[in-house]
Amino acid sequence: MLSVIIPTEGAEQPAVATLSALVPGAAAGVITEVLLVDRATDTSAIERVADVAGCGFLRFAGSQAAALAAGAAQARAPWLMFLPAGAVLDPGWIDETTQFIQSVSASGRPRAGVFRYARSPYAEVSIRDRLRSVVRMLTGPLGDQGLLIARDHYRQVGGYKPNARRAETQLLRQLGRSRTLLRSRIVMI
């Protein structure tokens, strides 16, 4: 039902944290595949993580948007979930995601879901974090909040533009009113 695409930068720990949060979704049958798309020059660590976790692995040299687009092109499921490495979803994400997919499929209207951003209670809050919080309030969700979208809808809106600056934010803005803020939170570690 769902392909998860996770762009990585060669860092093993954030990728492992995200994968461990996805295990219950795979056990419940919601996730059919996970693709790790690594843009780092030395990808042996992420390739090992993908091998051990049973994930697909794609080595990609290019922008983050191009890596996301390449992952979406390789994914096989009818629904796509884009998550940044280091993102951990609330435990209730499985039920909400399933209900969202069923609701959108039954209505016939294209919709995309974005998770609620939550700061880790253990993270130090920098000025940059505070500025991003203000930007979120003024402009809406940012690319680090993940995206849940049907493959057909993703294609209709043009997907991630490989050469665009801030392609994740552009796609979220382009979705406009077809974008829903989900109740489940996403925490970056």
Side-chain angles (χ1 to χ4, degrees):
M1 169 183 335
L2 182 64
S3 289
V4 181
I5 296 110
I6 304 170
T8 64
E9 300 291 331
E12 186 176 345
Q13 185 179 4
V16 170
T18 302
L19 289 173
S20 67
L22 295 175
V23 169
V30 175
I31 297 174
T32 56
E33 71 175 334
V34 176
L35 296 169
L36 298 179
V37 184
D38 195 35
R39 298 183 324 131
T41 54
D42 177 24
T43 57
S44 60
I46 297 299
E47 194 168 7
R48 270 193 315 276
V49 168
D51 184 45
V52 169
C55 301
F57 175 77
L58 179 62
R59 183 177 324 218
F60 195 83
S63 69
Q64 173 137 342
L68 290 166
Q74 187 172 331
R76 296 183 311 256
W79 280 82
L80 307 172
M81 181 188 287
F82 298 93
L83 293 175
V88 177
L89 296 172
D90 270 349
W93 76 269
I94 299 167
D95 292 334
E96 185 176 20
T97 299
T98 303
Q99 290 171 9
F100 180 78
I101 290 171
Q102 290 171 349
S103 172
V104 170
S105 298
S107 74
R109 290 186 349 211
R111 307 277 310 155
V114 179
F115 297 98
R116 290 187 188 277
Y117 185 81
R119 200 173 308 132
S120 171
Y122 309 110
E124 293 184 30
V125 181
S126 67
I127 292 173
R128 182 174 183 252
D129 293 329
R130 290 183 182 157
L131 288 174
R132 286 180 67 88
S133 294
V134 171
V135 169
R136 263 182 240 288
M137 289 183 346
L138 296 175
T139 64
L142 299 177
D144 61 356
Q145 290 180 240
L147 177 64
L148 174 64
I149 188 168
R151 175 188 299 284
D152 294 339
H153 190 199
Y154 175 81
R155 286 183 182 146
Q156 286 173 355
V157 297
Y160 289 109
K161 309 280 190 283
N163 298 324
R165 290 184 56 199
R166 299 175 12 159
E168 293 171 295
T169 305
Q170 285 183 4
L171 179 59
L172 288 172
R173 285 194 185 127
Q174 188 175 354
L175 290 169
R177 292 182 179 248
S178 71
R179 183 184 68 217
T180 300
L181 189 61
L182 302 171
R183 290 183 311 272
S184 298
R185 293 178 306 157
I186 188 169
V187 177
M188 295 299 294
I189 60 151

